[in-house]
Amino acid sequence: MTIADMVYSQVKLLPEPLAREVLAFVVTLREGRDRAEWRDLMQAQAVGLESVWDNSEDEVWNHV
């Protein structure tokens, strides 16, 4: 039996309001991981493009 199966078997026994809380918790966990992956991607792009963004020709855009 997988962890997902075990969670499902336990959640099936809960009253509806508590099952909704479990679902909300799972969604929060997934969104947090997705946000962390997105943040890591954005940071990697920023490092890679730093030399392109940080140049004297584009200095005027730094104050817009």
Side-chain angles (χ1 to χ4, degrees):
M1 181 179 271
T2 68
I3 294 293
D5 293 331
M6 289 188 281
V7 170
Y8 176 66
S9 67
Q10 292 297 313
V11 172
K12 285 191 316 186
L13 302 174
L14 293 174
E16 186 73 18
L18 292 178
R20 288 184 186 279
E21 285 186 44
V22 172
L23 178 59
F25 178 69
V26 170
V27 169
T28 300
L29 288 176
R30 290 185 51 88
E31 287 176 354
R33 187 192 70 198
D34 291 346
R35 270 188 250 125
E37 289 173 359
W38 181 256
R39 185 180 56 245
D40 291 346
L41 176 62
M42 294 299 287
Q43 288 174 344
Q45 289 176 347
V47 170
L49 292 172
E50 190 171 323
S51 63
V52 174
W53 291 334
D54 195 18
N55 62 63
S56 59
E57 292 175 3
D58 294 334
E59 184 65 29
V60 68
W61 294 106
N62 290 343
H63 307 290
V64 174

